Amino acid sequence: MSDRLYIFDTTLRDGEQVPGCQLNTVEKIEVAKTLEELGVDVIEAGFPVSSPGDFNSVVEISKAVTWPTICALTRAVENDIRVAADALQYAKHKRIHTGIGTSDYHIKYKFNSTREEIIERAIGCVKYAKKFVEDVQFYAEDAGRTDNEYLARVIQAVVNAGATVVNIPDTTGYCLPAEFEAKIRYLMEHVDGIHKVTIATHCHNDLGMATANTVAGIMGGARQAEVTINGIGERAGNTSLEEVVMVMRSHKELGIDTNINTTKISAASRMVSSLMNMPVQPNKAIVGRNAFAHSSGIHQDGVLKNRESYEIIDPKDVGIDENSIVLTARSGRAALKHRMHVLGVDLDKDALDKAYEAFLKLADRKKEVNDDDVLMLAGKHTAASRRIKLDFLQVTSGVGIHSVASIGLDIAGEKFEACASGNGPVDAAISAIKNIIHRNMLVKEFLIQAINKGSNDIGKVHMTVEYDGQHYYGFSANTDIVAASAEAFIDAINKFVR
Ligand code: KIV
Ligand code: ZN
């Protein structure tokens, strides 16, 4: 039997502190329900004293969620604790997360205080929180830069005061993994009664070591990992949930596992990314668009022969249907043959040789060869006979007016026009296209990225469109972001409208 690692998700508190990532209460409830389905143990729902909005979100999430513990953050201030307890009144399982800075930087510059006074305040906040709830978690802010001997004294004091969980944050993301592991081990060895409480890690990613430090902390004895979906969080972010969970799932020899239903990871990642307007970098571990996309010929061939030659995780385990092999100029014949097979085309050897030659020429011109191109290479249809093209697009948009779009499409040589309004220029353009292509299509993913810097930059649009239960990917790049969005939508439609 493996040891249980508790997953404490702080997407809605530390993650939400990122400028531009703020959610309203309804959106927060949506994220909290997703976290519950995912199987997280604790949801840090907010910092109630910080704003009426945060207070209200903790109240509503407490009502909406059943199984996970709902946690509210406070400073070591009695009023914060009273307000947090009030916000948690409807939670079925509740926890107050209170604490204070313990590094000399915090003691001297933030609190203008002394080490002894900080210990007294730490004891005071835990004891006060215990008047309201049984489950009290204490954080030693900047524990990463707090010397171990003093940190052990602080932790001993709060354990004696009744803390049930002690959180050891590497607030500035400074620690090295070995150093962080040693810190947790030191506490395990020097604090009486530490085995009766849970030690938590809370690592930030300023040096790109948040996951490494969290895993090191777990190896040192921590049994709660504080994480966010996609690793979102202030500055370089927090430890990402999906990485820690998949490290434990992949390294069974560690004998530690979580309650997470990993097949729901990919959907949760997409949802948080789109609600919080935080694109996931394509090469992000586990949830990036390219995380399972093999493009080199040698890798593609290996994966096709046996997935485990180049993949340590089965994409299905994190909720991705099939490993996406991206066809590029480096792809081999086996990859082209496989993609054709997936698309329902099986060529004999001579035809495949010819198609592969044509493929290499095309791949030299295009960065990625898509499914349409592959079908064209297989002689299944010609671009001209099926292509829907954007003929013209005009949009009006601005502040205080409704956006309106008129659009012209060329469908296999025939011209069509339509108008529509929307809550913004992109919405209007998409609606106008839908007025011509009458299909039940839903934009599921919509990502805009600038290629370089500056207002004259080219914008890239990635879009996933759901039609008839399947997802189709569309892409375009244009200096006009509305045009790029319309083109990406059309690109996706071209995949299923033949
Ligand atoms: O990074 C940090 O130290 C925190 C604490 C408030 C837990 O977010
Ligand atoms: Zn933090």
Side-chain angles (χ1 to χ4, degrees), residues 146 170 193 221 284 297 302 360 412:
T146 302
D170 183 21
K284 165 82 180 62
L360 288 178

Side-chain angles (χ1 to χ4, degrees), residues 112-410:
N112 188 20
S113 186
T114 63
R115 286 183 163 196
E116 297 314 312
E117 247 176 51
I118 291 294
I119 292 184
E120 286 312 310
R121 286 186 66 181
I123 295 170
C125 69
V126 170
K127 283 196 170 159
Y128 193 67
K130 282 294 253 196
K131 292 184 198 281
F132 300 93
V133 296
E134 174 46 36
D135 194 2
V136 174
Q137 172 170 331
F138 174 82
Y139 64 84
E141 195 178 5
D142 206 12
R145 294 187 300 169
T146 302
D147 77 67
N148 292 348
E149 211 179 309
Y150 175 64
L151 184 63
R153 283 180 58 210
V154 176
I155 297 304
Q156 184 69 71
V158 297
V159 168
N160 293 347
T164 45
V165 181
V166 288
N167 180 12
I168 311 301
D170 183 21
T171 306
T172 56
Y174 175 75
C175 283
L176 294 168
E179 185 188 358
F180 197 67
E181 178 176 348
K183 191 175 280 290
I184 304 292
R185 276 192 201 286
Y186 188 89
L187 297 176
M188 292 289 284
E189 285 160 13
H190 292 85
V191 175
D192 288 341
I194 195 77
H195 298 277
K196 295 196 192 113
V197 305
T198 305
I199 300 184
T201 60
H202 176 111
C203 300
H204 280 266
N205 202 31
D206 300 65
L207 291 171
M209 294 192 289
T211 299
N213 281 336
T214 299
V215 172
I218 293 165
M219 294 176 73
R223 285 296 176 271
Q224 174 176 291
E226 306 207 356
V227 292
T228 60
I229 301 279
N230 300 334
I232 64 161
E234 276 194 287
R235 309 184 309 275
N238 286 62
T239 307
S240 83
L241 178 148
E242 59 278 5
E243 293 175 11
V244 175
V245 168
M246 292 316 290
V247 168
M248 295 304 143
R249 209 45 72 84
S250 308
H251 283 272
K252 298 223 168 9
E253 75 280 8
L254 295 178
I256 301 170
D257 204 2
T258 67
N259 186 42
I260 297 298
N261 177 351
T262 61
T263 61
K264 298 201 181 269
I265 283 179
S266 175
S269 156
R270 285 200 302 270
M271 165 206 228
V272 167
S273 162
S274 87
L275 280 180
M276 289 192 155
N277 299 319
M278 275 292 264
V280 176
Q281 76 193 55
N283 59 329
K284 165 82 180 62
I286 319 289
V287 292
R289 191 161 18 91
N290 294 349
F292 299 99
H294 305 272
S295 70
S296 93
I298 296 170
H299 284 209
Q300 289 181 347
D301 192 43
V303 167
L304 291 173
K305 284 180 179 143
N306 180 348
R307 188 186 61 73
E308 284 172 27
S309 341
Y310 285 100
E311 275 181 4
I312 54 163
I313 296 171
D314 185 337
K316 289 195 195 81
D317 290 347
V318 291
I320 296 169
D321 277 347
E322 218 200 316
N323 62 328
S324 40
I325 286 194
V326 179
L327 294 176
T328 67
R330 287 176 296 147
S331 297
R333 199 177 307 251
L336 180 66
K337 186 174 171 205
H338 173 75
R339 180 57 57 87
M340 285 185 173
H341 180 72
V342 168
L343 294 171
V345 186
D346 288 302
L347 301 183
D348 62 29
K349 191 183 168 305
D350 284 354
L352 181 67
D353 285 349
K354 273 203 194 111
Y356 186 63
E357 242 175 71
F359 161 80
L360 288 178
K361 283 190 193 132
L362 182 66
D364 254 356
R365 282 187 279 120
K366 283 187 90 180
K367 257 200 192 154
E368 279 179 22
V369 175
N370 62 33
D371 288 352
D372 270 350
D373 300 322
V374 172
L375 284 171
M376 193 186 67
L377 291 168
K380 284 295 155 196
H381 54 253
T382 62
S385 67
R386 65 175 163 69
R387 272 258 176 251
I388 302 171
K389 292 190 201 113
L390 180 64
D391 213 12
F392 68 84
L393 170 67
Q394 189 180 43
V395 278
T396 54
S397 71
V399 178
I401 58 161
H402 226 61
S403 296
V404 177
S406 359
I407 205 147
L409 298 186
D410 177 321

Side-chain angles (χ1 to χ4, degrees), residues 32-100:
K33 297 289 287 175
T34 301
L35 294 172
E36 181 172 37
E37 272 181 36
L38 201 56
V40 309
D41 300 286
V42 187
I43 296 176
E44 187 162 51
F47 180 14
V49 84
S50 68
S51 73
D54 244 42
F55 180 90
N56 194 38
S57 299
V58 175
V59 171
E60 296 306 324
I61 290 170
S62 297
K63 290 181 192 165
V65 161
T66 309
W67 301 113
T69 294
I70 305 302
C71 182
L73 184 79
T74 82
R75 294 166 297 181
V77 171
E78 290 194 352
N79 185 48
D80 284 26
I81 296 171
R82 274 194 303 277
V83 173
D86 196 16
L88 288 169
Q89 62 187 297
Y90 299 105
K92 286 96 194 158
H93 315 278
K94 52 186 91 171
R95 180 181 296 176
I96 289 177
H97 188 191
T98 187
I100 196 160

Side-chain angles (χ1 to χ4, degrees), residues 14-22 233-235 276-278:
D14 221 341
E16 217 242 353
Q17 276 171 219
V18 179
C21 279
Q22 277 66 37
E234 276 194 287
R235 309 184 309 275
M276 289 192 155
N277 299 319
M278 275 292 264

